[in-house]
Amino acid sequence: MTSTHAFWLAGRQATGEDSFDVTNPWDGRLVGTVSVPTDAQVEEAVAAAHAVRDEFAATPAHVRAAALDHVVRRLTERTEEIAQLISGENGKPIKWARGEVGRAVSVFRFAAEEARRFNGGDAQRLDTDAGGTGRLALTRRFPRGPVLGIAPFNFPLNLSAHKVAPAIAVGAPIILKPAPATPISSLILGELLAETDLPAGSWSVLTVPNDRMPALVKDERLPVISFTGSGPVGYSIMESVPRKHCTLELGGNGAAVVLADYASEEDLDWAATRIATFSNYQGGQSCISVQRVIADSSVYDRLVPKIVAAVEALVTGDPSDAATDVGPLVDENAARRVESWVDEAVEAGARLLTGGKRDGATYAPTVLTELPGTSKIACEEVFGPVLSVQRTDGEAEAFAAVNASKYGLQAGVFTHDLQTAFRAHRALEVGGVVIGDVPSYRADQMPYGGAKQSGVGREGVRYAMDDYTYERVLVLTGLAL
């Protein structure tokens, strides 16, 4: 790697006048120094995206698909290198970082497949009324225009892929803005895109500081914004640009419901293991991590000790060690915030069953019960390795507890009953219901997004492609239908 990582301006490397350091949250070592674009360079990137929009939209599908296929090959070839980089800048345990690269490979592969079949159009006869005799409507989708993709720190490669790959698939220029804590993964993605034949200006990766983003967000030449991050920031973006098309993937307060029929020892062992793993697998820094466990009274007393044992069996430590399950949070301030929320809950009456200790940026996996409903951990997204367990009586009470949150991203329901599964799908106010597992399951091709304060719009390659485009109707006249 170079001593200072250049950003990508309209498909070429460039450096600015300033730079910042990226450090490993585990040990504080320098991961890399990243150059910051000047205002003039940001303007150049936006102008280039705006200028190339029609050319890129008209690019043959095979050209866009070939570029996406190239990224698939190169990500696969460089998996270990990129995984080590993600682990270094993010603090993510290496086994989860390798998984993230694998998911990004899938995202680009799905996008290549969708690019080849996208926009075949839907034909509709209009002669259902006399005035439509001889008329046929052909509906196709066209890019809304250049996309501003704003990616978070917790999945720095894969969530960047979820912005970039659908944009390329539909022929929409994209400017990607990575998180300041974890920009290097996105810059590596730029290296792979630079090896393709995509038009100059069709993509940029700009390491713009957060305090300079409002001007970029409001630029009228970027009519689409795809943002993944916190609710306050996401909604402030949408409120500042009410005429733009915004996709917001925001926070969650993920619930795992364990119902009365999920009662064998094997059932409860599986549920406890999945809950423990996926309340902590990214240091809890996932919007769909398990934050709440809602257990039926008939299984509660047997389930809670199993969850505690499974949580205590997780290995916390150096993220570069393949045995590590839980690494540090993104920085010490994040760990201090989690610590303060847990302390507040305990002072208000919550019982601490395990964990509750901080060491620098690392917070021990923590389990709470008897959580006061007014505590921050009960009401907000903790975004840390903390879960609470709540006792309920019956399905209706359990589902009501899930819906009591202002968030609605995904929910997991441990049940064997198919009718219960369909009732959960109808009753739970979330974007996704996972039966027989935790809410943390996500396949990158499925629609992913939330209800209530968890955002608007959907990701998942084909669904993001729909968000980046709009329908345009062509009416043909005088046809012998």
Side-chain angles (χ1 to χ4, degrees), residues 47-57 173 199-203:
H50 181 72
V52 80
R53 68 193 188 283
D54 291 338
E55 175 191 347
F56 195 32
S202 61
W203 62 272

Side-chain angles (χ1 to χ4, degrees), residues 124-137 475-481:
Q124 181 182 20
R125 291 179 67 133
L126 301 180
D127 60 354
T128 50
D129 291 311
T133 300
R135 297 180 187 268
L136 182 77
V475 177
L476 302 174
T477 304
L479 302 180
L481 297 175

Side-chain angles (χ1 to χ4, degrees), residues 184-377:
I184 304 177
S185 306
S186 296
L187 297 175
I188 295 292
L189 185 56
E191 289 184 24
L192 309 187
L193 292 171
E195 298 169 354
T196 71
D197 295 325
L198 294 174
S202 61
W203 62 272
S204 295
V205 182
L206 301 181
T207 48
V208 180
N210 290 342
D211 60 5
R212 289 172 50 198
M213 282 303 294
L216 194 54
V217 164
K218 293 178 182 178
D219 196 304
E220 294 182 357
R221 294 168 294 179
L222 302 173
V224 180
I225 296 176
S226 178
F227 170 85
T228 302
S230 73
V233 175
Y235 285 120
S236 70
I237 287 173
M238 189 165 66
E239 290 165 4
S240 71
V241 287
R243 292 178 178 83
K244 290 195 176 191
H245 185 86
C246 294
T247 297
L248 305 179
E249 299 299 335
L250 307 178
N253 190 340
V257 178
V258 185
L259 293 175
D261 71 300
Y262 217 80
S264 72
E265 292 302 311
E266 182 181 5
D267 285 343
L268 296 181
D269 285 342
W270 163 256
T273 299
R274 298 294 284 178
I275 287 165
T277 298
F278 288 97
S279 63
N280 297 286
Y281 74 121
Q282 310 283 343
Q285 298 170 123
S286 170
C287 297
I288 46 176
S289 67
V290 182
Q291 185 170 328
R292 298 180 291 155
V293 179
I294 298 167
D296 191 85
S297 291
S298 62
V299 299
Y300 180 93
D301 290 333
R302 289 189 294 143
L303 177 64
V304 171
K306 291 177 182 290
I307 291 174
V308 172
V311 168
E312 291 179 342
L314 297 172
V315 177
T316 302
D318 185 349
S320 67
D321 187 335
T324 296
D325 299 305
V326 186
L329 277 70
V330 69
D331 57 36
E332 188 166 342
N333 285 337
R336 289 184 184 276
R337 179 190 54 77
V338 173
E339 179 182 41
S340 70
W341 285 21
V342 173
D343 290 348
E344 173 201 70
V346 172
E347 289 171 6
R351 288 182 57 210
L352 178 67
L353 300 186
T354 191
K357 297 179 181 178
R358 182 182 63 82
D359 181 7
T362 300
Y363 195 79
T366 297
V367 180
L368 300 166
T369 61
E370 300 174 23
L371 187 67
T374 56
S375 65
K376 288 189 181 73
I377 290 177

